[in-house]
Amino acid sequence: MTEWFTHFGIANPAEAIILTKTLLRIFVILVIAYLLNRFSKRALNVLRDSLSNKTVDHIEEVKRINTVTMVLRYIITTVIIAITIVEVLHELGISIAPVLAAAGVVGLAIGFGAQSLVKDYFTGFFLLLENQIRKDDVIEVAGKSGLVEAITLRYIKMRDDDGNVHYVPNGQILTVTNRSRDFSYAVIEITLAYEENIPEVIQIMQQVADDLSRDGVFKNKILGPAEVNDVDKLTDSAVVIRCRFKVLPLEKAAIKREYFRRIKSALQQQQIELNPDS
């Protein structure tokens, strides 16, 4: 053991003992930090699962619980890391006061450059406080859109339909368009030639909409009776009739695809052609 310490330039046994105790204390600090981090993660998961089970029928509440849990996890991990670094520095004999003073001077020097970072955290706090964005929401912010995979006080991570991942700093968010809050509208426009029998087409569209609403696969995704307008608008070569469904969030595309498939088949059976030029 003496030769090992001598190899590192420590000849005094007392110094070797002090060094050993310091290393042991640092090791204990790191172990405690690791255990606290694991415990906090497990405790938050248990809390999330418990709250989610109580609100299993309320999708919006489940999203909010998942989002808040994620942010708490981020904050707790950051605090544990910061405290661990301070304690390790203390064990190494590095005074924290000069470090903080130096940090204050450096912070003052770069304060103007850090304004955007402060804005990110400030905006992120209010996004969470006002429950504007939750994990698993489909949103559009700062010219980007996609499914929210993660949200912190500094940025939002979302993935678009092509699989691209976008990281948007919260400070760049001026307007939030949430496409999955409470419900959506599936709007279908059917274009027909002027010579077609419009009342008959409206009747067929309403019948198809009613059948879709009663279908076992789709009825739980549709929140109300379909609205079939008379003539919604006229173009140079076609008449446009619109049908609208109130649906669950993120089910708009599925409802539109199924309605288009059914209405095309129903109109063809009556020898009514859609206008391809509109």
Side-chain angles (χ1 to χ4, degrees):
M1 180 66 71
T2 304
E3 295 178 356
W4 188 84
F5 284 116
T6 303
H7 178 73
F8 287 95
I10 302 174
N12 190 338
E15 293 180 356
I17 293 174
I18 294 174
L19 177 61
T20 302
K21 290 182 177 179
T22 300
L23 293 176
L24 285 175
R25 284 195 293 267
I26 292 176
F27 176 75
V28 170
I29 290 171
L30 294 176
V31 170
I32 292 175
Y34 172 78
L35 293 176
L36 283 175
N37 196 39
R38 291 292 301 273
F39 174 78
S40 65
K41 180 179 180 180
R42 180 168 297 182
L44 286 174
N45 288 339
V46 171
L47 177 62
R48 180 197 61 200
D49 294 341
S50 176
L51 294 175
S52 297
N53 290 334
K54 294 179 181 179
T55 58
V56 65
D57 296 328
H58 299 82
I59 298 176
E60 301 302 319
E61 287 300 318
V62 172
K63 286 184 179 181
R64 187 172 188 179
I65 290 169
N66 291 338
T67 301
V68 172
T69 303
M70 180 185 297
V71 174
L72 286 176
R73 170 74 177 147
Y74 172 79
I75 294 173
I76 291 173
T77 300
T78 303
V79 171
I80 290 175
I81 291 174
I83 294 176
T84 301
I85 292 174
V86 170
E87 291 299 321
V88 170
L89 290 176
H90 177 72
E91 291 299 329
L92 293 175
I94 301 175
S95 177
I96 304 301
V99 174
L100 294 177
V105 173
V106 174
L108 182 63
I110 65 173
F112 290 103
Q115 287 182 5
S116 60
L117 187 62
V118 174
K119 185 178 180 181
D120 290 341
Y121 281 92
F122 192 74
T123 304
F125 172 77
F126 281 100
L127 287 175
L128 294 172
L129 180 65
E130 296 172 357
N131 195 29
Q132 296 182 24
I133 301 174
R134 290 83 46 87
K135 184 177 180 294
D136 297 326
D137 276 350
V138 176
I139 64 170
E140 180 178 349
V141 293
K144 303 295 182 180
S145 61
L147 176 71
V148 176
E149 293 188 343
I151 176 171
T152 70
L153 292 177
R154 194 180 70 81
Y155 68 86
I156 293 173
K157 175 187 174 184
M158 56 186 180
R159 188 180 301 271
D160 63 22
D161 293 337
D162 296 325
N164 302 315
V165 177
H166 304 286
Y167 293 86
V168 180
N170 293 329
Q172 295 184 8
I173 299 175
L174 300 178
T175 302
V176 176
T177 301
N178 195 321
R179 298 176 179 172
S180 57
R181 176 62 63 89
D182 299 330
F183 63 88
S184 298
Y185 284 115
V187 179
I188 301 101
E189 291 187 342
I190 303 298
T191 56
L192 305 157
Y194 275 94
E195 59 269 17
E196 297 294 349
N197 188 332
I198 302 302
E200 181 184 2
V201 171
I202 293 175
Q203 183 178 2
I204 294 173
M205 290 178 63
Q206 186 66 62
Q207 183 62 49
V208 171
D210 293 341
D211 291 343
L212 181 59
S213 299
R214 290 190 294 264
D215 187 279
V217 177
F218 298 96
K219 65 180 182 180
N220 293 328
K221 301 177 182 180
I222 299 174
L223 302 179
E227 303 172 5
V228 180
N229 296 339
D230 195 340
V231 175
D232 187 66
K233 59 184 175 181
L234 302 175
T235 68
D236 292 339
S237 60
V239 177
V240 180
I241 304 174
R242 191 172 77 160
C243 176
R244 187 176 77 166
F245 292 89
K246 184 178 181 181
V247 301
L248 289 175
L250 307 182
E251 297 293 344
K252 177 171 62 176
I255 298 300
K256 289 180 68 173
R257 286 194 298 267
E258 182 63 17
Y259 186 83
F260 275 128
R261 186 184 68 81
R262 295 189 180 205
I263 193 63
K264 181 177 184 296
S265 176
L267 292 177
Q268 284 181 339
Q269 289 179 5
Q270 301 299 322
Q271 297 183 343
I272 299 174
E273 295 294 332
L274 299 175
N275 191 320
D277 299 326
S278 57

